[in-house]
Amino acid sequence: MFLPEIQSVAMWKKVLAAVLGVIVGYSLIDDFNPDSLKGKNVVITGASAGIGEQMAYHYARMGANVLVTARTEKKLQEVVAKCKELGRSDGIYHYISADMSNLTSTELVIREAISKMGGIDYLVLNHIIVIPLGMWKGSPDNLTRMDKIVDVNYKSYVHLTSHALPFLEESKGSIVVVSSLAGKVAQPFSGVYSSTKFALDGFFGSLRQEFALRNCDVSVTLCVIGLVATESAISELKNFKQFFLLNNIKAAEPPDAAYAIIRGGALRAREIYFPYMETRVLTMLRDWLPKTVDYINRFVYTTS
Ligand SMILES: *[C@@H]1O[C@H](CO)[C@@H](O)[C@H](O)[C@H]1NC(C)=O
Ligand SMILES: *[C@@H]1O[C@H](CO)[C@@H](O)[C@H](O)[C@H]1NC(C)=O
């Protein structure tokens, strides 16, 4: 045996092409196996509608046990009924209705999950308070509203994680944080929303580092989600008369977003971007061409 000497430029090019081919080919292999979720215990917040609801159905179909939470009991009952239809006959499906602006309820949710499922493998933090888009005026109304938004969109995430952490460490589980492009790139008319999403990146990025430092085998996946055609997102844009965005940018389907998030969590990815191109490219360009990215963001939001 001998290794052929690589002498000519042509030969080098072939080697380079082969290496690139292997890298590209490797990156196209989908190593997500939905069967890996069979029997796993999943808690999903904000699961009465939108992406959260669709995640509950995917998880049930993949054989996981699911505890869903949100405010509206009636919607949660419907989601649980559908999970029972889609999931394993011996699967565990429950709900607990809770208002995340009351931080006491975060502990109740985790306690309920443990009492119903016996453990937690995936903590999927997805809920938000839906806030009308608007210009920040610094008015008393703006300021009082901010407190509730910060409680629901940020503090409750930290509280839920803190209560669930002992159980996640035991199961070597995963924290899946649903964020937004607005948590990587600031956009107009959603300053407080955007700041809570940036805050999640900061807190959970720090937590991920600490897990590595103390050999804690819990993964943290931050999900950077772009425009998805959920009822709440679309009606919010319509109420704010964002017809340019609605007519020119194709919103992704909620079940596809839900699948991408579940896949990222199962693969213990550090971050996922969905829809990939719009969210990844803008996030990358944010540091290289900040003014251009700002311009794009101002351009797509029209004010009449
Ligand atoms: C918050 O939730 C707890 C537990 O359900 C309840 O006892 C308390 O009254 C609630 N607080 C408010 C301000 O609604
Ligand atoms: C701020 O308050 C003004 C009225 O005081 C309102 O028109 C505007 O929509 C509010 N903006 C936000 C982001 O809440």
Side-chain angles (χ1 to χ4, degrees):
M1 271 299 284
F2 67 97
L3 292 172
E5 272 185 59
I6 302 170
Q7 285 163 335
S8 64
V9 172
M11 191 69 173
W12 270 114
K13 279 188 181 162
K14 274 184 199 160
V15 169
L16 204 62
V19 169
L20 277 176
V22 168
I23 291 171
V24 170
Y26 191 76
S27 71
L28 290 176
I29 296 172
D30 193 340
D31 36 10
F32 171 44
N33 175 12
D35 281 345
S36 68
L37 294 170
K38 206 167 273 172
K40 297 292 186 202
N41 300 316
V42 182
V43 176
I44 312 168
T45 69
S48 64
I51 298 172
E53 177 186 0
Q54 296 303 321
M55 282 197 277
Y57 301 151
H58 282 314
Y59 273 121
R61 248 186 240 116
M62 293 169 188
N65 303 317
V66 179
L67 179 117
V68 289
T69 182
R71 280 176 309 173
T72 322
E73 184 157 13
K74 191 163 175 310
K75 275 291 310 188
L76 290 170
Q77 286 167 344
E78 289 167 16
V79 172
V80 166
K82 194 159 171 198
C83 285
K84 281 184 182 153
E85 244 170 63
L86 296 168
R88 284 166 32 232
S89 54
D90 59 345
I92 304 169
Y93 310 104
H94 282 284
Y95 72 87
I96 172 172
S97 105
D99 181 347
M100 290 299 158
S101 70
N102 178 346
L103 295 172
T104 311
S105 47
T106 59
E107 192 174 358
L108 301 181
V109 168
I110 299 305
R111 227 187 275 158
E112 183 73 1
I114 298 306
S115 98
K116 290 289 170 17
M117 302 190 293
I120 303 175
D121 296 291
Y122 288 90
L123 177 64
V124 184
L125 302 171
N126 164 73
H127 63 278
I128 49 163
I129 184 169
V130 176
I131 332 145
L133 293 161
M135 186 86 76
W136 183 260
K137 297 275 175 62
S139 66
D141 169 51
N142 293 163
L143 291 168
T144 44
R145 202 179 262 173
M146 174 174 69
D147 286 345
K148 191 167 181 182
I149 300 171
V150 171
D151 281 352
V152 175
N153 289 11
Y154 171 67
K155 283 194 203 164
S156 72
Y157 278 52
V158 177
H159 280 248
L160 283 161
T161 298
S162 306
H163 298 309
L165 199 49
F167 306 105
L168 289 167
E169 289 194 40
E170 203 176 297
S171 66
K172 302 190 190 324
S174 301
I175 304 167
V176 179
V177 179
V178 179
S179 184
S180 161
L181 180 60
K184 289 286 188 185
V185 177
Q187 288 153 17
F189 312 119
S190 51
V192 179
Y193 171 76
S194 183
S195 65
T196 58
K197 291 303 196 185
F198 269 81
L200 291 175
D201 198 357
F203 178 80
F204 285 97
S206 174
L207 201 61
R208 190 193 285 117
Q209 293 280 61
E210 292 177 3
F211 288 168
L213 284 170
R214 62 184 179 92
N215 296 318
C216 166
D217 210 353
V218 175
S219 64
V220 177
T221 301
L222 184 86
C223 306
V224 182
I225 306 297
L227 187 59
V228 176
T230 58
E231 255 175 61
S232 69
I234 298 302
S235 73
E236 205 176 324
L237 290 172
K238 279 186 181 154
N239 289 339
F240 200 53
K241 299 187 169 48
Q242 293 303 301
F243 298 114
F244 178 83
L245 249 170
L246 286 164
N247 296 333
N248 291 286
I249 296 181
K250 190 168 157 29
E253 293 303 323
D256 297 341
Y259 189 89
I261 294 166
I262 290 172
R263 179 178 178 279
L267 293 176
R268 303 172 86 82
R270 176 192 172 83
E271 291 186 331
I272 68 130
Y273 288 81
F274 180 90
Y276 186 78
M277 281 311 276
E278 78 184 51
T279 53
R280 191 76 192 97
V281 168
L282 283 176
T283 302
M284 257 165 39
L285 292 182
R286 159 192 94 160
D287 296 327
W288 299 344
L289 301 167
K291 286 182 182 171
T292 310
V293 171
D294 278 357
Y295 176 79
I296 292 170
N297 277 311
R298 284 200 303 277
F299 182 82
V300 298
Y301 284 93
T302 45
T303 43
S304 45

